[in-house]
Amino acid sequence: MIRRVMMKHLKIFAPAFAFLVTVNATSYADDKTAELPSFCAEIPRAGWAAYEKQAASNEWFHVYHLSNDLYAITEPFQWQEVINYLIIGTDKALLFDSGNGIGDIKAIIDQLTDLPVTVLASHSHIDHVGGHWQFETVLAPNTEFTNTRAKGQPNDFVREEASSIALCKALPTGVTETNHHIKPFSPSERVADGSVIDIGGTQLEVLMIPGHTPDALALLDRENGRIFTGDSYYKGPIWLYAPETDLAAYRASIARLAALAPSLKVVHGAHNEPFSTPAELVKVRDGFEAVYTGKKRPNAVTETQAQYHFDSFSLLLQNDHEVQK
């Protein structure tokens, strides 16, 4: 795969475009030179240079203090490059996404706050709910997709996420390609469009934005002009490829996000880099509209996938999607 800067889901184009680079790094089992996926040469992403890595970081998680009440907890050495956000209020804290379930995210959280922690996923894909089982208070929408994914996923569904093609570093102690799985979790409270989560001093509004998945949601902090968009927008090729993706629903959802741009100061996406300008939401809305209506042709294709390049982002869809005539 030709991995563009700030690429998510490297594996999707792998059959046609993958390539490897050889770098000197600690191997998974020894100190020999390893052949690593090409994205490893781009770590850390340039966007992290504006922030100081915190002492809570370890070999799996890198932690950055983005603002007074906000930490980004990223998993940079795994191909999803997922970013989990810890928002700290005066009464409690909210963890937005809990990662791949490969590292011990609760151990990181315990170093950052003594407050009670609530967890909420931007959607129920495996790289966003992997650590949910570690928390007692779990918020979730009441959708069929959410409830099915809450049952966990066995090793045969997720083992590629812990394989050598997905990694730049050794897995944490005790985790292997053959034992990695997503543990089940139990929602303790449901959220819906318009739900408000008050963590003390900060109110976070839930926006249901289906499309990427049926349960995709964003968190809007109106007072501080920031929004957490999950996988509906992030820096990198935006994945609209899965069987559960609904392009018509995404069309409405990205338009909803773009309409908020004039009132926003910052956008926090769920992969690669933690900061985008609100204007990017408008660009993605307009770019997706061109794809959806058949005005934009793909720049790269495989047997099953099509990638559409724009100046600051790209879109990854099935190459047999129906456009509007």
Side-chain angles (χ1 to χ4, degrees), residues 110-123:
D110 288 346
Q111 295 180 66
L112 299 175
T113 183
D114 294 325
L115 293 170
V117 176
T118 296
V119 64
L120 171 65
S122 60
H123 61 296

Side-chain angles (χ1 to χ4, degrees), residues 164-282:
S164 60
I165 63 171
L167 301 172
C168 301
K169 270 196 171 184
L171 292 164
T173 301
V175 181
T176 69
E177 179 180 348
T178 56
N179 72 14
H180 173 53
H181 63 286
I182 303 298
K183 295 182 179 180
F185 63 91
S186 299
S188 54
E189 185 177 340
R190 300 296 185 170
V191 295
D193 191 62
S195 295
V196 175
I197 305 166
D198 189 343
I199 59 175
T202 301
Q203 292 191 331
L204 300 163
E205 181 181 346
V206 174
L207 305 181
M208 296 306 301
I209 48 170
H212 178 74
T213 63
D215 65 346
L217 60 86
L219 279 184
L220 175 62
D221 179 354
R222 292 185 185 272
E223 183 176 354
N224 294 302
R226 59 185 175 176
I227 192 167
F228 301 83
T229 50
D231 280 10
S232 296
Y233 169 77
Y234 51 84
K235 281 190 172 181
I238 298 168
W239 186 26
L240 300 170
Y241 172 78
E244 60 268 18
T245 298
D246 183 328
L247 295 182
Y250 183 80
R251 184 189 194 192
S253 292
I254 192 62
R256 184 182 187 186
L257 293 177
L260 293 169
S263 65
L264 298 173
K265 298 176 183 176
V266 60
V267 178
H268 297 295
H271 294 271
N272 306 320
E273 298 193 22
F275 175 90
S276 295
T277 63
E280 290 301 306
L281 297 175
V282 177

Side-chain angles (χ1 to χ4, degrees), residues 44-91:
R45 302 287 175 186
W48 294 107
Y51 308 100
E52 182 178 355
K53 190 168 69 172
Q54 301 295 293
S57 303
N58 61 24
E59 290 187 353
W60 185 257
F61 293 105
H62 284 184
V63 181
Y64 296 87
H65 197 187
L66 303 187
S67 61
N68 289 339
D69 67 341
L70 181 62
Y71 289 90
I73 305 166
T74 183
E75 302 176 55
F77 304 110
Q78 199 267 355
W79 64 9
Q80 305 289 358
E81 295 182 49
V82 67
I83 306 171
N84 314 288
Y85 293 97
L86 182 66
I87 310 164
I88 298 178
T90 56
D91 300 327

